[in-house]
Each structure stands twice: as structure tokens, then as C-alpha cells.
Amino acid sequence: SQYRYLKAGVWVPSIVDDFDISYAENIGAAYATATMNYGRISAVVGLRGEYTYSDARESGVSQNYFSLFPNANLSVALDKSGKHSLVAQYSRNIARPSFWNLTPNRQQVSDYTFQSGNPLLKPQYTDNITVTAVVAYKYSLTLGMNIRHDAIQRIVLQDPNNPQMMELTYKNLPTDNFYLASLNLPFNVTKWWDWNTNITGLISKQRITEDSQFEVNRLAQWNSNMTFKLPKKFFIDVYYQGMTSAKVSNIRMNSYHTMTLNIKKQIKDSWTLQCGLQNIVRAR
């Protein structure tokens, strides 16, 4: 990015610094899996090892690290047909900081706010544990937790050099865990009306600094999708989603909901004509 302004017909360098965040990221991995089936019980376990090396060409930011990612899946059929089952899962994954997050260049957002990256960011690791009950092949209830280590979150700070300026940057939080319950309800109301609804409740537990108190926040998310099958291969899709207000890091997000309507016409077997309206109902 280069910043110039026009003065007397000549493009003059701005007081804002030019910057280049192009970078190379290389990942090497090896993994192994094993499976087991015994009656109504089946299991899959695996282990993946990854080495990551990344380097920015201009900013001088580079990272390299090795990580192990175990995973396991245990499924138990509660009847002979497998119509009802219990599934327990564990996995560990990674969220690597991008160079937008790492590069410390200041980018002006408004007269009182700028954003910048944090070159000291570490990758975020998450241990995911879930238990799911499946009924009639399709209805499901999931209970789980996401234990995040060095969670990467956006945070608002006061500029130490100018108290009137606010800085949007990124930070690894010492604690940022989620506990969830999710209900999935697909219905075939009639042969021409399909309705799928998902409702998720979340409780987050976080600390912004090592010596700060734990904060507990509650959040609900929902989405509902209806498809109406009309004559002559016409379809109507109605999608509604929303969430309650929530606090992430030290940033408060307002509640919102929105609805989208799409009308589709299938032409032969491979073409679809679609017309839609977004934000029919939209509130924050």
C-alpha cells in the first residue's frame, strides 16, 4: 500500500507510512489414523503433526513452530438399525495469526481510531469436546466445550502516546473458553415444505489479562431455513438468523436478526435462475 496526495498536479508522499505485508507461509504435515468396529461400537483415532514456517518479506515478522493435533471419535448405536446413536468427539485444531494480525503498521480508521497488528501474537489452539445424541437419523442434541489456549481476539486499547486516540489491535487472551448446547430440528412438514431450525446457547468464560477476574457471558444464536417446492420446478427459500448481544474481549456486540428470501427456478437439470431479497427484516 502506498499513500500519496495530489498537490499542484503532482502526487506527493503522505505522512502515512507505506507498507508491504506480502508474506510466505509453508506448512509440512504428517498424520496417522486407526479405526475399530466392534458390534454397535465404532471408533476412529488419529494424530497429525505440523511444522509451520512463515516469513514477511518487508515487515521483518517471522514465525516457526511445531504442533501436534490428536483427534478421536467414538460412536455407539443404540439400536440394531443405527437409527438412534450417541457420538463422542475430541479434536485439537489451530488458528494461525495472519499477517494482517501480525504486521504492526498503523492504518487510520477515523479521526480518533487506528488499527494495527501485534507481531507478538502466538497461534491459537483449541481443544474441542462434544457429545451428540442423534434421534431418528436426523434430530440431534449436542453438548460441548471449546477450550482455547492463547485465544486470538480483537481488543480496543488507548494509545499511550495520545490518550484521545483508540487502537484496534489483536491480543492472545489467557482464558477464553466456550460451553455450548446445540439443538438441530429438521422437519418435513409436507411433501412441498421442508423446515430446518438450529438453536445454540453459549456460555463464555474469559480473562483479558492474567490478573483480571473471570468474566462470564451468555449468548444465543439461531437460524431457520424453509424451502417451499412449487409447481414447474419453482422453489422459495426463506432464511432467518439472529443472535443476542454478546461481549467478546472488551468489545460489546449488539443483538441482531435478519431475514432473506430467494425465489429459484430450475431450468432442465443443470441451470438455476435465482432472484432474492436480503435484509427484509433487519435489526441491531
Side-chain angles (χ1 to χ4, degrees):
S1 293
Q2 292 182 324
Y3 294 90
R4 303 290 185 269
Y5 67 93
L6 191 63
K7 181 179 181 181
V10 178
W11 288 103
V12 180
S14 171
I15 59 172
V16 180
D17 293 334
D18 298 341
F19 67 89
D20 181 357
I21 65 164
S22 57
Y23 68 97
E25 183 175 71
N26 304 285
I27 302 169
Y31 63 91
T33 60
T35 62
M36 183 273 290
N37 291 283
Y38 183 76
R40 297 183 184 180
I41 302 174
S42 63
V44 179
V45 295
L47 180 65
R48 187 176 83 254
E50 286 187 1
Y51 177 76
T52 302
Y53 173 74
S54 53
D55 180 62
R57 298 184 176 90
E58 298 293 335
S59 67
V61 177
S62 64
Q63 291 192 332
N64 61 87
Y65 44 87
F66 178 78
S67 309
L68 287 173
F69 303 97
N71 65 84
N73 182 300
L74 177 66
S75 178
V76 180
L78 301 180
D79 62 328
K80 291 183 179 180
S81 65
K83 188 176 182 179
H84 313 299
S85 62
L86 288 175
V87 181
Q89 294 179 309
Y90 165 77
S91 65
R92 180 176 173 86
N93 56 35
I94 186 173
R96 298 175 179 85
S98 72
F99 274 85
W100 283 108
N101 303 146
L102 291 168
T103 305
N105 297 87
R106 292 170 58 129
Q107 300 175 56
Q108 200 76 21
V109 177
S110 70
D111 290 342
Y112 300 100
T113 308
F114 68 92
Q115 63 182 18
S116 65
N118 177 4
L120 300 179
L121 274 182
K122 295 179 286 187
Q124 169 187 304
Y125 297 93
T126 305
D127 292 307
N128 305 291
I129 303 170
T130 61
V131 177
T132 301
V134 181
V135 177
Y137 294 122
K138 56 183 180 179
Y139 307 107
S140 66
L141 172 64
T142 298
L143 303 177
M145 62 178 69
N146 296 334
I147 309 300
R148 303 203 288 185
H149 311 275
D150 296 318
I152 299 173
Q153 291 288 10
R154 175 172 268 195
I155 191 169
V156 179
L157 301 174
Q158 191 176 51
D159 184 1
N161 299 318
N162 184 355
Q164 293 185 336
M165 291 292 294
M166 303 302 293
E167 177 186 10
L168 291 173
T169 187
Y170 297 87
K171 181 181 178 181
N172 292 113
L173 301 190
T175 304
D176 188 23
N177 302 329
F178 283 92
Y179 307 89
L180 64 92
S182 182
L183 184 63
N184 190 55
L185 300 171
F187 296 106
N188 296 111
V189 183
T190 68
K191 64 180 181 180
W192 50 268
W193 179 7
D194 294 330
W195 184 8
N196 185 42
T197 297
N198 179 269
I199 303 171
T200 300
L202 294 164
I203 297 177
S204 72
K205 188 177 182 180
Q206 70 171 15
R207 284 185 303 156
I208 296 178
T209 62
E210 290 286 355
D211 56 353
S212 63
Q213 297 290 326
F214 282 106
E215 292 185 35
V216 176
N217 300 291
R218 293 170 178 82
L219 166 68
Q221 297 174 326
W222 57 89
N223 60 74
S224 187
N225 187 42
M226 293 185 184
T227 298
F228 300 92
K229 302 171 186 176
L230 305 180
K232 299 186 180 297
K233 294 186 178 182
F234 277 94
F235 301 87
I236 297 177
D237 288 335
V238 181
Y239 183 69
Y240 173 74
Q241 67 171 344
M243 62 172 283
T244 59
S245 61
K247 184 181 180 184
V248 179
S249 180
N250 66 348
I251 300 174
R252 172 69 66 178
M253 297 185 296
N254 292 333
S255 61
Y256 81 94
H257 61 92
T258 182
M259 186 170 74
T260 299
L261 172 69
N262 290 316
I263 300 175
K264 300 178 181 179
K265 164 63 176 173
Q266 186 175 352
I267 304 173
K268 296 185 178 180
D269 294 326
S270 57
W271 293 84
T272 301
L273 181 65
Q274 176 175 307
C275 179
L277 294 172
Q278 295 184 344
N279 296 330
I280 299 172
V281 176
R282 182 174 182 268
R284 291 185 180 273

